[in-house]
Amino acid sequence: MRRTARVLGTAIVFAILMLFLSTDAPAAPRVRVAYWLMADVIRGGSNAVGAVGVQTNVFKQGEEVVFRARVLDIGNGQDPGQQGKGIKALQDLGLKVTAYLEDGQSFPLSYGRHPAQVQGREAATWFWSSAWKIPASRAPGSVKWWVIVTDKSGASVRFDPIGAGTALPPIAIIIEKR
Amino acid sequence: MRRNLILLLCSGLLLALPLFSTGPASAGPQGRLVYWVMVDLVRGSVQATATVCAQTNVFKHGEEVVWRARVLDVASSEDPGDGGKNLVAIQERGLKVTAYLENGLSLPLRYGQHPGRATPGDPVAWFWATGWKIPDDFPTGTLKWWVVVTDKTGAFVRFDPIGAGANLPAPSIIVERR
């Protein structure tokens, strides 16, 4: 009986030891990116003085800044919204994408099809977007921006345009007189 | 004796159990993204007809398209080059970042400090960049582009601008007459 207890005890100790040694989790980095986030700004169609829908960070007063973001699950490289087929999955994840301006404004991005109206077999894609119409009275200058993705699990990923926080020329949105 | 044998078998099972539990962490999905790649285009200083270093995808003949890429290890969300302090790590990984144009042209990006000549004390950023001067006789129109990141382990991450593959004006480089 005593021998049996000893064998059993040894086995349990070994098992616990193996649990600690074999799992990868403790060795994994603490900071793990949950989403692959890419964002840019393009000129919207409202009051545009330049080409519409093109990438730019230089805008005139009254023009529309459109924030666009692509969010992929880092685990499988796929769009959690499955190109419009997984809207419920987005809701289940509680995925939220928000653009922020340094003046305190924030713009929730919505997940949608682009172009919104397609004809026939025209190709479309799904991503996140939102727009900010620059007030005509807005003072010229620059305004920093960034985008944050969050979900129900507490994941939070921030995107800053390349070169943000450096002495590089115009990383922020630049507003010029019309 | 028989009892001990059963106990030993149970112990063996207990020992083997943790080995099965590590499966998902070590294998990972096949499509797992190893690098978080962010890319944009800015106007270079060569024969620029508008704001230099501003984000754009519309260029005139003779202007310079500059690709800028930030590559982060998704496991740590850190720049493998550690902001220029660990160039050896980039070599050891065999990290390569290349921009491709649909006309067959490919341009390797280099990891460097930006601005290149910063005044001491000025904040700088380290990222990947390359430039392409559009020949004066280059056909006007649109030109698709993408960026690929590879390393020695066989990792392969492709970045396409938001909206690529759809009927949207933004993704391609637009070349116009000067």
Side-chain angles (χ1 to χ4, degrees):
Chain A
M1 192 65 190
R2 203 173 157 191
R3 198 173 156 193
T4 308
R6 200 180 293 160
V7 173
L8 193 65
T10 313
I12 290 168
V13 168
F14 264 113
I16 292 168
L17 207 64
M18 286 299 286
L19 268 173
F20 279 105
L21 292 175
S22 62
T23 178
D24 289 343
R30 288 179 184 180
V31 183
R32 186 167 175 78
V33 183
Y35 297 103
W36 201 90
L37 168 63
M38 175 63 206
D40 65 8
V41 284
I42 62 169
R43 183 179 292 112
S46 173
N47 265 324
V49 294
V52 172
V54 299
Q55 290 174 336
T56 182
N57 63 319
V58 184
F59 297 87
K60 300 281 184 192
Q61 291 166 332
E63 278 195 313
E64 189 181 37
V65 179
V66 175
F67 300 91
R68 310 189 307 167
R70 190 166 52 198
V71 180
L72 304 180
D73 185 322
I74 213 86
N76 57 18
Q78 299 296 315
D79 167 16
Q82 295 166 48
Q83 290 294 295
K85 297 182 202 98
I87 304 290
K88 195 179 175 301
L90 292 181
Q91 290 164 353
D92 291 344
L93 284 170
L95 212 58
K96 288 200 171 114
V97 185
T98 312
Y100 293 87
L101 296 181
E102 65 173 321
D103 63 7
Q105 291 186 82
S106 62
F107 305 89
L109 279 72
S110 52
Y111 181 73
R113 186 178 61 183
H114 302 270
Q117 289 162 342
V118 288
Q119 292 174 342
R121 289 189 164 188
E122 204 177 5
T125 186
W126 287 70
F127 54 79
W128 299 77
S129 66
S130 185
W132 170 49
K133 189 178 184 310
I134 304 168
S137 58
R138 171 94 190 194
S142 66
V143 56
K144 287 179 190 158
W145 67 278
W146 60 94
V147 172
I148 293 180
V149 173
T150 57
D151 71 13
K152 269 184 191 167
S153 76
S156 176
V157 179
R158 173 172 166 154
F159 172 92
D160 285 283
I162 296 172
T166 69
L168 285 170
I171 301 307
I173 291 168
I174 297 166
I175 300 163
E176 295 178 343
K177 278 189 189 293
R178 186 172 274 266
Chain B
M1 190 65 190
R2 198 177 160 192
R3 202 170 166 187
N4 280 347
L5 198 68
I6 293 167
L7 278 169
L8 273 172
L9 277 172
C10 290
S11 311
L13 273 174
L14 271 171
L15 289 170
L17 210 59
L19 297 174
F20 290 108
S21 71
T22 59
S26 56
Q30 283 193 335
R32 201 168 72 84
L33 296 165
V34 181
Y35 296 106
W36 181 10
V37 187
M38 290 156 270
V39 188
D40 66 7
L41 300 180
V42 297
R43 183 179 291 108
S45 56
V46 178
Q47 292 188 38
T49 60
T51 317
V52 171
C53 267
Q55 289 175 333
T56 183
N57 63 316
V58 185
F59 297 87
K60 303 275 185 195
H61 278 146
E63 280 194 314
E64 188 185 33
V65 180
V66 175
W67 281 265
R68 310 188 309 168
R70 192 162 52 197
V71 178
L72 304 181
D73 185 327
V74 297
S76 60
S77 76
E78 298 291 337
D79 167 15
D82 194 14
K85 295 184 205 95
N86 200 354
L87 299 178
V88 177
I90 289 180
Q91 288 166 355
E92 282 174 356
R93 282 173 184 246
L95 209 56
K96 289 201 170 110
V97 184
T98 312
Y100 293 89
L101 294 175
E102 66 173 317
N103 65 357
L105 202 65
S106 65
L107 306 134
L109 278 75
R110 278 177 302 167
Y111 181 71
Q113 176 192 291
H114 301 271
R117 289 176 209 162
T119 317
D122 271 355
V124 296
W126 283 72
F127 52 80
W128 299 76
T130 192
W132 171 55
K133 188 183 179 303
I134 303 170
D136 290 338
D137 57 352
F138 198 83
T140 55
T142 61
L143 197 59
K144 285 180 191 158
W145 65 275
W146 60 95
V147 168
V148 171
V149 175
T150 57
D151 71 12
K152 271 184 189 169
T153 70
F156 179 97
V157 181
R158 173 172 163 155
F159 173 95
D160 285 282
I162 296 173
N167 191 24
L168 293 169
S172 303
I173 291 168
I174 300 167
V175 181
E176 295 178 339
R177 279 185 198 282
R178 187 173 273 266

